[in-house]
Amino acid sequence: MAGEKRAGILMAGTDRTQPMNFDPAPAIILCEPQLGENIGTAARAMANFGLWDLRLVAPRDGWPNDKARAAASRADHVVDRIRVFDTLAEAIADLSLVYATTARRRELAHEVIGPDEAARRLARHIGSAQRAGMVFGREKWGLYNEEVALCDAIVTLPVDPAFASLNIAQAVLVTAYEWRRETTQAALPVSSPAASLASKDELRGMYLQLEEALDRSGFFKTPEKRPTFIINLRTMLGKAGFSDQEVRTLRGILAALDRRHLYDKPGRGLPRRGRGKASDE
Amino acid sequence: MAGEKRAGILMAGTDRTQPMNFDPAPAIILCEPQLGENIGTAARAMANFGLWDLRLVAPRDGWPNDKARAAASRADHVVDRIRVFDTLAEAIADLSLVYATTARRRELAHEVIGPDEAARRLARHIGSAQRAGMVFGREKWGLYNEEVALCDAIVTLPVDPAFASLNIAQAVLVTAYEWRRETTQAALPVSSPAASLASKDELRGMYLQLEEALDRSGFFKTPEKRPTFIINLRTMLGKAGFSDQEVRTLRGILAALDRRHLYDKPGRGLPRRGRGKASDE
């Protein structure tokens, strides 16, 4: 398992017993990418979120590309399936819904949508057994208008206009993330521990134990403030949402602290309120 | 403006007349980052989505770091403000809501949420003038349990379990994207062209013009099929959602095509249906 710790912050979460995911998903088309690193990191970002169909239009340094494979951090199931085309028209020939990603304002009359809306539409389209894809432009100047015109709509990311420069792989990552969020209802690979909240009766037992312990300790100097204080105390502790196990732990802690008072002080005969069974009695 | 084409697919969208964004936003805390590149690309990802408070806990190669600045692609307003701390506890001392990002299943009882839910909670917290942050672990092995225990909940990304290895900057990017999506209601820097859909009357004029042109051209070999065909034709063209300008363009095209028939054929005496004014008559 040591090998799994090699490459990324979240590497430890990779489960190599899971089969690679080739469910129907949008194709990602990179138009004339210049840097192999960008192809590789785009492939990795796709694999993170369940995409696998990567297509390149006239990559500057040809294909295959060692730098791309290195940067893909073992997303080999994506890299091995990369297909290369001469033109964008050929690369999207089999698709019936294609979005162009761009941040540039254009004179085209294309509708502009965000990656969340794009993911919803892609999911509907692919859910009805049709093929779809998203096109990403060149590192230096994006897509030509002629290329955008081949697509059905423009997807742009909600970046800060003061700093809109986004790396290709990062643009791919956000759109892939939205695709997965949409199609898995944001299913997380790690879930919250099975929530077993303490019952109201378990909580009440703990509150009574605590309150009796406070009584014995001489905490309430002015008894008339006790009722309000106890309401506030129960409200405060209730917010934590303790589990039944945590209540047991807290009652053990209370018992240990309370015992100290039993030994230290003669206060055990103080007047009682509430019906709870105090520990050790 | 040539300089704006330098660094990224979406570079052309950067508007340098916009002031840098220092609105209240979550701090990003990187725990013992090893590679300067990751610090820089994380800073760039933050800047893309309006974050600016980056804190480092004991970066391996010290600080400042030239590789970090180079990788930040001019996100200098973030890099210049980076603060370095010896421990995570010091780095988060002024924050009252802190999430730990991790993909590893842990024995801790922490709640696990996705980046979208995290963004909603961070927005509420910061909206009520409180400070918050998100902690990211080491490239190789993430966060120690003792560090996660300093945080309020765990954020994990909905990655494909079969390929969960995510680079730190990419994890930062997704959480920053969700922050901005939540706090700007996904406002896009580029919007759809002002929609000025053609009125029903403008569309009807075009349909009639087309139908008369088809009549003249001898298109309807079997006149009894004409009514159904015309309904289907209008439905089909209606789906495109033409603007008034597009209708004018299409009518010009129609007129040009129709004129050819006027000259080529003796069909101009064919029976008319509808009241539309045919062009050139």
Side-chain angles (χ1 to χ4, degrees):
Chain A
M1 299 299 282
E4 299 204 353
K5 293 196 173 177
R6 211 152 39 92
I9 177 188
L10 301 183
M11 197 66 197
T14 293
D15 180 354
R16 300 240 166 253
T17 64
Q18 297 261 350
M20 285 302 166
N21 180 354
F22 294 109
D23 291 338
I28 298 294
I29 301 105
L30 305 185
C31 243
E32 298 188 6
Q34 299 188 278
L35 300 175
E37 288 83 348
N38 286 337
I39 299 169
T41 48
R44 180 183 181 181
M46 289 172 63
N48 284 144
F49 295 114
L51 303 186
W52 50 269
D53 182 358
L54 179 54
R55 307 174 182 195
L56 309 178
V57 178
R60 187 191 65 185
D61 298 337
W63 190 257
N65 181 317
D66 288 343
K67 286 184 180 169
R69 188 171 290 276
S73 291
R74 303 197 290 172
D76 294 326
H77 65 295
V78 176
V79 174
D80 291 342
R81 280 170 186 76
I82 284 179
R83 283 177 288 168
V84 178
F85 299 86
D86 290 335
T87 66
L88 178 59
E90 291 168 274
I92 63 174
D94 61 321
L95 309 178
S96 51
L97 178 68
V98 179
Y99 292 134
T101 28
T102 166
R104 208 176 311 184
R105 191 174 293 279
R106 294 169 183 275
E107 59 269 36
L108 301 173
H110 277 61
E111 184 184 16
V112 180
I113 59 177
D116 43 359
E117 176 62 20
R120 278 190 288 274
R121 297 186 191 183
L122 289 168
R124 272 201 300 275
H125 196 77
I126 288 173
S128 61
Q130 301 180 83
R131 290 186 184 177
M134 297 195 67
V135 180
F136 295 80
R138 298 153 188 84
E139 286 93 339
K140 286 194 181 162
W141 66 91
L143 293 169
Y144 295 119
N145 277 352
E146 293 73 15
E147 291 165 336
V148 176
L150 298 176
C151 304
D152 296 292
I154 288 173
V155 172
T156 197
L157 305 186
V159 289
D160 188 339
F163 196 82
S165 163
L166 200 63
N167 170 273
I168 289 182
Q170 290 177 314
V172 169
L173 183 80
V174 168
T175 56
Y177 162 76
E178 281 288 9
W179 161 261
R180 189 163 176 89
R181 203 171 67 97
E182 177 66 26
T183 55
T184 63
Q185 282 79 46
L188 302 177
V190 178
S191 56
S192 293
S196 140
L197 282 182
S199 70
K200 296 307 175 196
D201 193 56
E202 288 168 326
L203 286 173
R204 185 168 165 279
M206 177 177 73
Y207 295 154
L208 291 173
Q209 182 185 344
L210 171 59
E211 289 148 22
E212 289 183 13
L214 290 177
D215 282 337
R216 273 193 295 278
S217 75
F219 177 83
F220 296 108
K221 308 291 187 205
T222 45
E224 63 275 18
K225 291 188 176 165
R226 187 183 189 280
T228 303
F229 181 86
I230 281 180
I231 289 172
N232 293 340
L233 182 64
R234 291 186 180 195
T235 302
M236 183 180 87
L237 294 174
K239 288 193 301 182
F242 292 124
S243 70
D244 47 3
Q245 175 56 50
E246 288 167 337
V247 165
R248 283 194 292 277
T249 302
L250 287 168
R251 293 194 72 161
I253 290 170
L254 266 180
L257 296 174
D258 193 25
R259 199 175 291 129
R260 190 168 64 78
H261 284 292
L262 288 178
Y263 293 134
D264 288 357
K265 292 196 176 185
R268 56 192 300 183
L270 282 179
R272 297 279 191 80
R273 317 214 181 182
R275 292 183 307 108
K277 187 167 77 71
S279 61
D280 280 343
E281 290 205 27
Chain B
M1 300 298 280
E4 299 204 353
K5 292 195 175 179
R6 210 152 42 91
I9 176 185
L10 302 183
M11 196 66 197
T14 293
D15 179 354
R16 300 240 165 251
T17 66
Q18 297 261 350
M20 285 302 168
N21 181 353
F22 293 110
D23 291 337
I28 297 295
I29 302 105
L30 305 185
C31 243
E32 298 188 6
Q34 299 187 277
L35 300 175
E37 288 84 348
N38 286 338
I39 298 170
T41 48
R44 179 183 183 181
M46 290 172 61
N48 283 144
F49 294 113
L51 304 186
W52 50 270
D53 183 358
L54 179 54
R55 308 175 180 193
L56 309 178
V57 178
R60 187 192 65 185
D61 298 337
W63 190 257
N65 181 317
D66 289 342
K67 286 183 180 170
R69 188 171 289 275
S73 291
R74 305 197 287 172
D76 294 327
H77 65 295
V78 176
V79 173
D80 291 342
R81 281 169 185 79
I82 284 179
R83 285 178 285 169
V84 178
F85 298 86
D86 290 335
T87 66
L88 178 59
E90 291 169 272
I92 63 174
D94 61 322
L95 309 177
S96 50
L97 178 67
V98 180
Y99 293 133
T101 30
T102 166
R104 208 178 309 183
R105 191 172 293 279
R106 294 168 184 276
E107 59 269 35
L108 300 173
H110 278 60
E111 185 185 16
V112 180
I113 59 177
D116 44 359
E117 176 63 20
R120 279 191 287 275
R121 296 186 191 183
L122 289 168
R124 273 201 300 274
H125 195 77
I126 289 173
S128 61
Q130 302 181 84
R131 290 185 184 178
M134 297 195 65
V135 180
F136 296 81
R138 300 155 187 82
E139 287 92 339
K140 285 195 182 160
W141 66 91
L143 293 168
Y144 295 119
N145 278 351
E146 293 73 16
E147 292 165 336
V148 176
L150 297 176
C151 304
D152 296 292
I154 289 174
V155 172
T156 197
L157 305 186
V159 288
D160 188 338
F163 196 82
S165 162
L166 200 63
N167 170 273
I168 288 181
Q170 290 178 312
V172 170
L173 182 81
V174 168
T175 55
Y177 162 75
E178 280 287 10
W179 161 260
R180 189 161 176 91
R181 203 171 67 98
E182 177 66 26
T183 55
T184 64
Q185 282 78 48
L188 302 178
V190 177
S191 56
S192 293
S196 139
L197 281 182
S199 71
K200 296 308 176 197
D201 193 57
E202 288 168 326
L203 285 173
R204 185 167 165 278
M206 176 178 74
Y207 296 154
L208 291 172
Q209 182 186 343
L210 171 59
E211 290 147 22
E212 290 181 12
L214 291 177
D215 282 338
R216 276 192 293 279
S217 75
F219 177 84
F220 295 109
K221 309 291 186 203
T222 45
E224 62 276 18
K225 291 189 176 164
R226 187 183 189 278
T228 302
F229 181 86
I230 281 181
I231 289 172
N232 292 339
L233 182 64
R234 291 187 179 194
T235 303
M236 183 179 87
L237 293 173
K239 288 193 301 183
F242 293 124
S243 70
D244 46 5
Q245 176 56 49
E246 289 167 336
V247 165
R248 282 192 294 276
T249 302
L250 287 167
R251 294 193 71 161
I253 290 170
L254 266 180
L257 297 174
D258 193 25
R259 198 176 291 129
R260 189 167 63 79
H261 284 293
L262 287 179
Y263 294 133
D264 289 356
K265 291 195 177 183
R268 55 192 300 181
L270 281 180
R272 295 279 193 82
R273 317 211 182 183
R275 294 182 307 107
K277 188 167 75 71
S279 60
D280 280 342
E281 289 207 26

